[in-house]
Amino acid sequence: MPRLRMRICLSAALAGAGLILSGCANPSVGSDRDDPTQPVTLKFWHGWSNPAEVKAVDDSIARFEKLHPNIKVKTVNNVTDETVNQALRAGGDDAPDVVSSFTTNNVGQYCSSGMWVDLDPFMKKTGVEKAKVFPKTFLDYTSYQGKQCALPLLADAYGLYYNKDAFKEAGIERPPRTMSEFKRDAAKLTKRKAGGSYERAGFMPNFRLYQNSPDRLFAQWGPTYFDKKGKAQLAKDPRTRQFLATQRELMDAQGGYAALEKFRTTFGDEMSPQSSFMSQKAAMHMDGEWRGLMLKEGKAKFDWGTAPLPVPDDQADTYGRGYLTGTVAGIAHNSKHQNAAWELVRFLTVDTDQVVRFANAIHNVPSTFAALTSPKLDADPSFRTFIDIARNPHSQAMPPSINGGQYITAFQDFAYNAEAGKVPDLGKGLRDLDAQIDADNLQSVN
């Protein structure tokens, strides 16, 4: 792609991929001079589409409007990042005032491009001390280079679901806490039929399975993707090789990549009763907090539990950590009602009662200190596991980047090849990966 320094936007094809570069924001300018006590109608775009989730959003808006009778909110649900980006580039009266996104990967673009406004001035005006409200990890994934252009609107934490019946059958007393225990238990839990095909895998480690994205599993090692100068350092960090080696060992302990990959193709859709864990084709499974609600509503035919994912043996003291991500909310750069919009964003993200009620309604992890410790929060032990993961100081989110999730995609593609044995020289492959990530980042800056 051409590296133009002129203030122009990329082609429709690139825009369709959700990529926004600095300087591409629509020239129309919003206003932070509005009076939030005056009558106004705001437009709030979000991505929730499940009827129960949409109802939870609508109930939240009803509570907000009761507190702010002068502010009316029109919501549009099931909106993708691409649709939001197109609307913000186009501007005009139909563009949203308050926006949300299900991915933290694009925060670096939202902040650096100016598409989402800096929220620090609004927090300062209204006395919100963000470091006292939000855990540091959540603030990290909603900001970029010191610009807080988003705030967390509930979070997702990833942990381990395990089949207690299968554990009892295999003589395993508790879920694994270290990677050596993980490999041992996965092998014990694996069952084969008379002909050699799988009846059940102990744990399906293949990166293409459902939520098994390599960046999520890699969080158990506590990696640092970039150095202080912003250069990729996956090749220099020994944890990268340890992670890929462990994943290979997990596969070998259960029959190898080819056999497991063939078995993976027999699994049903992730959200269906035929999914691997629900159908008992996997005894352990990595997933987010929402899976527990699905298992209950689907009336799973086995006893199950939750726990943090195992950690490397030499980092046993970090057990309890996990991968964090979540929904983010912000104010559109071209909103002419930014102070009123801030009142909505503040209510949705800061108000403890609202955050807890919304978290309980859609079974997501709350995203403020107060909500995480609220006695009104769902006390279900399987859900509390993920609350503890979110509160663990070692838990990790992906660092924001100016080109969004492009470096994550590059890492995923590399990991797919590595697990399939298509990277003969891992050191060279990782160095080439770092070079690719750095080149992509430089292109985005230029």
Side-chain angles (χ1 to χ4, degrees), residues 123 127-136 139 350 352 367-371:
M123 286 188 277
V128 176
E129 298 182 57
K130 62 182 181 181
K132 294 182 179 180
V133 176
F134 304 101
K136 183 180 182 301
L139 287 176
V350 177
T352 302
S367 41
T368 68
F369 285 120

Side-chain angles (χ1 to χ4, degrees), residues 156-169:
D156 292 319
Y158 284 77
L160 182 74
Y161 286 82
Y162 65 101
N163 185 322
K164 289 185 176 181
D165 293 343
F167 268 58
K168 184 176 181 180
E169 176 189 307

Side-chain angles (χ1 to χ4, degrees), residues 408-425:
I408 302 173
T409 300
F411 179 50
Q412 290 170 339
D413 290 342
F414 177 84
Y416 295 153
N417 287 328
E419 73 172 356
K422 298 179 181 180
V423 183
D425 186 336

